[in-house]
Amino acid sequence: MKTTYYFQRLSQYNQWMNEKIYQVCASIPDEIRREDKKAFFNSIHGTLNHILLADKLWLSRFKNYTFEIESLRQELIAEFDLLWEERQKTDKEIQSYIDSLTQEKLSEPLTFTSRSQKRECTFPIWFLLLHFFNHQTHHRGQLTTLISQCGKDFGVTDLLWLPEAEL
């Protein structure tokens, strides 16, 4: 299996899960989405914002453009519908970037300044992509817990059930 295929599946999974999560979140009143549930990023809204912010930050690193942020906790977009629109645009950008990758590009080093470590770091792109997709999954796991606490069902989250994944 080509490694690029692996990352293409992960980007498809990312888009699929985000669509499912946002559809369910749209049925939750804004005041409940914003309620501090003592989660890592406080609320459903805070966690949705963080995932989008981190994805946009990583895309700027991968694609070599500037994306300025104040902190990893900042609210990018306050209105849910606009947040969802930006999520969809970003997922398309992720898929486009992933689709452009070659085996050779995956092996190239990428140097960036880590916001959390406050230092310059260098890793191969394939390793950073593993982190990128793992980060999304980690925080979506938190979201599914918060959504469950609201009495909502977000459906199946297993990678196996990604549409069109089965042979």
Side-chain angles (χ1 to χ4, degrees):
M1 178 186 76
K2 288 176 40 175
T3 311
T4 54
Y5 182 75
Y6 174 75
F7 290 115
Q8 287 170 340
R9 282 295 187 209
L10 288 177
S11 81
Q12 292 165 357
Y13 176 74
N14 170 64
Q15 186 278 327
W16 178 59
M17 284 306 305
N18 284 335
E19 189 69 23
K20 289 169 61 103
I21 293 286
Y22 273 82
Q23 285 176 356
V24 172
C25 287
S27 72
I28 300 171
D30 193 52
E31 62 274 6
I32 294 174
R33 281 194 309 263
R34 292 176 169 281
E35 190 175 294
D36 187 351
K37 300 282 191 184
K38 308 298 182 220
F40 207 66
F41 290 95
N42 301 331
S43 64
I44 291 170
H45 185 81
T47 306
L48 291 170
N49 254 283
H50 172 73
I51 297 169
L52 179 63
L53 179 142
D55 284 359
K56 292 177 85 55
L57 179 60
W58 276 108
L59 275 171
S60 74
R61 292 168 176 166
F62 293 138
K63 295 175 72 177
N64 195 28
Y65 63 84
T66 301
F67 179 70
E68 294 292 332
I69 62 170
E70 297 168 18
S71 83
L72 295 172
R73 300 186 73 80
Q74 88 181 60
E75 181 179 64
L76 282 180
I77 301 171
E79 185 184 323
F80 178 77
D81 290 341
L82 296 177
L83 184 68
W84 191 356
E85 279 181 32
E86 191 60 32
R87 174 75 268 168
Q88 291 168 320
K89 287 179 197 172
T90 302
D91 286 346
K92 286 179 184 165
E93 187 178 354
I94 291 167
Q95 286 189 323
S96 177
Y97 172 71
I98 295 297
D99 288 346
S100 76
L101 293 173
T102 63
Q103 291 295 123
E104 298 76 40
K105 181 72 174 173
L106 288 172
S107 298
E108 291 178 8
L110 178 68
T111 300
F112 64 96
T113 301
S114 168
R115 297 214 36 120
S116 63
Q117 299 297 307
K118 298 179 183 15
R119 66 179 178 88
E120 195 171 87
C121 304
T122 303
F123 294 96
I125 290 174
W126 70 264
F127 190 73
L128 294 173
L129 285 169
L130 285 177
H131 168 74
F132 175 72
F133 288 115
N134 186 64
H135 178 265
Q136 297 165 345
T137 301
H138 164 70
H139 287 299
R140 274 195 303 265
Q142 294 170 337
L143 278 170
T144 58
T145 297
L146 296 171
I147 291 167
S148 293
Q149 290 172 354
C150 295
K152 300 291 183 175
D153 181 10
F154 42 82
V156 173
T157 62
D158 294 337
L159 177 62
L160 284 178
W161 309 127
L162 172 67
E164 300 175 17
E166 193 170 354
L167 298 177

